[in-house]
Amino acid sequence: MPVVRTLTRTIKQVLQSPVCGCQTVTSVRFIGFSPRQVTSDASFHSVSFSETDHPRVLITGGLGQLGVGLAKLLRKRFGNNNVILSDIRKPPDNVFYSGPFIYSDILDYKNLREIVVNNRITWLIHYSALLSAVGEANVPLARAVNITGLHNILDIAAEHGLRLFVPSTIGAFGPTSPRNPTPDLCIQRPKTIYGVSKVHAELMGEYYHYRYGLDFRCLRYPGIISADSQPGGGTTDYAVQIFHDAIKNGRFVCNLKPDTRLPMMYIDDCLRATMEVLEAPAESLTMRTYNINAMSFNPEELAQEVRKHLPELEVVYNMDAVRQAIADSWPMNFDDSNARKDWGWKHEYDLPELVTTMLGYLSPESLNAQAQAS
Ligand SMILES: NC(=O)C1=CN([C@@H]2O[C@H](COP(=O)(O)OP(=O)(O)OC[C@H]3O[C@@H](n4cnc5c(N)ncnc54)[C@H](O)[C@@H]3O)[C@@H](O)[C@H]2O)C=CC1
Ligand SMILES: CC(=O)[C@H](N)C(=O)O
């Protein structure tokens, strides 16, 4: 009987939940069991906008390159206390004192569920991952975090009627995908554990949407470039490091070949896209996983643009074989026409704007002013 009770609740929740406006009857083909065995006293509960006015957001893996910036943006929109950052690392003072932070290991299912229940979470933004280069250096850990961790997240989100955002990546494509440009739907046979885990995430999220009515939303990000946060061990990291080294030493050692073209995006565009797709009306989404793009360049083109501001910059190429092989298998250009058509995606930063913004932010004067202000 508890199982029947649970199923009845789940079906009602799927058909009624206003948070998950995408959960149309047609998306729920058959609900035969809950995604994970739940105890008989567990109660499915979906918190809706009508109860809280604003979504209650949990960001996993929030202390990486992207999480703190996203929390800042969402807190501005939904209120400081409605957005909780979480990670397994210790937060620096400025992050700890800027809004709610909580310890959360995505491999600990019970802990995750407790956090979601106790904080009445309605949106889950799942940022925890091992990126491409560090993933290749530790495949068992990447498999655990990126695949087992994702399973926990999917089940928690389905059980509690959450809107779930999981980012994917240009790395979800491989050498047999069309690379110039790469469309949303094409062959995906990535050659990294990172890419494999992200294709798995895309497919599992879409399956849970179809099977359980989960409000799953996913964007494939290009390489993201930011000034105030460090990248976490990816193939596109060179495009962040060049700015730091150009300003500090006037010299940059690049671990990719000069003609390695990859899709890239400034962090502000990436975070805005994430908020926009999370807020997009369900009816506007014809897909659950979208490419987004802003620009494409290779290291030499980036160096040329930086030299317009710092003409003395010297760039030396010292290729890293692992990163080069990964980059050579990834898209050179990304076709994001579906995102532009369906929910109005539009980037703001192109290459010249990106370079001006990065150098402006990292200039000694600007860093001094930031230090004095904090
Ligand atoms: N930064 C980029 O260029 C791109 C990022 N993405 C995706 O966006 C998301 C966020 O990326 P970044 O912030 O750059 O990643 P990052 O590598 O900088 O941060 C990932 C965070 O996950 C945390 N983490 C690791 N194991 C964990 C565990 N067991 N439980 C909880 N947290 C754990 C780490 O402590 C780290 O703070 C990732 O899913 C990544 O795949 C996708 C494409 C491009
Ligand atoms: C593009 C990504 O997913 C990431 N920056 C990486 O290089 O691994």
Side-chain angles (χ1 to χ4, degrees):
M1 283 315 279
V3 173
V4 174
R5 243 192 347 255
T6 297
L7 283 175
T8 311
R9 281 192 197 124
T10 309
I11 292 165
K12 273 193 189 151
Q13 171 194 326
V14 161
L15 298 179
Q16 291 171 355
S17 166
V19 170
C20 310
C22 67
Q23 294 170 340
T24 57
V25 177
T26 49
S27 72
V28 184
R29 298 281 293 273
F30 169 68
I31 300 178
F33 51 87
S34 68
R36 189 178 290 241
Q37 201 63 39
V38 290
T39 53
S40 58
D41 60 344
S43 152
F44 284 6
H45 177 67
S46 172
V47 180
S48 68
F49 283 148
S50 57
E51 286 175 67
T52 61
D53 288 333
H54 284 311
R56 298 267 306 157
V57 185
L58 175 68
I59 304 175
T60 69
L63 295 184
Q65 186 188 2
L66 306 185
V68 173
L70 184 67
K72 204 167 158 192
L73 188 70
L74 296 179
R75 281 172 180 161
K76 236 187 234 162
R77 183 146 181 80
F78 301 127
N80 226 41
N81 290 331
N82 285 321
V83 180
I84 303 174
L85 266 177
S86 72
D87 209 299
I88 51 172
R89 294 194 276 148
K90 201 165 142 187
D93 281 358
N94 64 325
V95 172
F96 188 72
Y97 293 112
S98 65
F101 177 87
I102 203 163
Y103 170 88
S104 170
D105 181 348
I106 57 154
L107 296 174
D108 184 343
Y109 178 78
K110 280 183 76 177
N111 171 247
L112 258 181
R113 179 200 264 167
E114 196 178 317
I115 291 169
V116 165
V117 168
N118 287 351
N119 294 285
R120 303 189 308 131
I121 297 301
T122 56
W123 287 12
L124 182 43
I125 297 172
H126 179 47
Y127 268 178
S128 309
L130 260 65
L131 272 57
S132 57
V134 290
E136 288 313 290
N138 192 342
V139 172
L141 185 62
R143 200 182 72 170
V145 173
N146 296 7
I147 297 178
T148 309
L150 174 89
H151 292 168
N152 288 341
I153 293 289
L154 282 170
D155 285 351
I156 299 271
E159 272 184 26
H160 297 278
L162 310 184
R163 180 167 298 180
L164 174 63
F165 177 82
V166 181
S168 185
T169 161
I170 50 173
F173 297 95
T176 50
S177 308
R179 294 181 60 222
N180 192 12
T182 305
D184 279 306
L185 295 176
C186 62
I187 190 163
Q188 286 179 269
R189 287 291 181 276
K191 294 289 181 202
T192 59
I193 184 65
Y194 178 59
V196 169
S197 70
K198 289 294 186 179
V199 177
H200 178 73
E202 294 175 7
L203 292 177
M204 286 295 284
E206 289 177 11
Y207 174 72
Y208 268 51
H209 171 68
Y210 159 80
R211 177 71 195 263
Y212 301 114
L214 174 68
D215 188 355
F216 172 79
R217 300 176 184 212
C218 175
L219 296 179
R220 296 192 189 102
Y221 294 161
I224 306 301
I225 298 166
S226 59
D228 60 350
S229 57
Q230 288 296 324
T235 304
T236 58
D237 292 7
Y238 91 87
V240 176
Q241 197 58 41
I242 188 173
F243 292 99
H244 294 271
D245 292 1
I247 287 178
K248 224 160 115 193
N249 316 318
R251 184 172 190 272
F252 173 62
V253 180
C254 185
N255 54 23
L256 294 181
K257 289 192 215 157
D259 61 350
T260 311
R261 179 173 301 281
L262 292 167
M264 301 278 184
M265 181 177 284
Y266 184 56
I267 187 166
D268 286 13
D269 274 342
C270 165
L271 301 180
R272 182 172 52 80
T274 304
M275 192 162 84
E276 284 176 6
V277 80
L278 272 162
E279 291 198 289
E283 320 79 74
S284 68
L285 304 177
T286 60
M287 306 188 305
R288 290 281 139 185
T289 303
Y290 288 92
N291 293 349
I292 52 164
N293 196 26
M295 64 192 100
S296 247
F297 55 75
N298 64 37
E300 194 47 37
E301 288 163 348
L302 177 57
Q304 288 296 357
E305 195 62 40
V306 175
R307 282 195 194 101
K308 290 183 185 164
H309 304 256
L310 302 169
E312 308 298 313
L313 172 67
E314 181 195 353
V315 179
V316 175
Y317 292 94
N318 184 12
M319 186 193 68
D320 173 281
V322 173
R323 283 183 162 85
Q324 187 65 49
I326 294 173
D328 287 342
S329 73
W330 281 3
M332 294 191 276
N333 271 300
F334 228 23
D335 174 356
D336 62 356
S337 49
N338 287 314
R340 288 173 193 266
K341 181 163 51 77
D342 285 2
W343 47 276
W345 164 240
K346 198 165 181 283
H347 71 275
E348 280 176 6
Y349 290 81
D350 53 17
L351 179 57
E353 197 124 27
L354 166 86
V355 171
T356 309
T357 306
M358 287 293 288
L359 292 177
Y361 189 95
L362 294 172
S363 70
E365 304 77 44
S366 158
L367 292 179
N368 262 339
Q370 289 163 44
Q372 273 165 18
S374 67

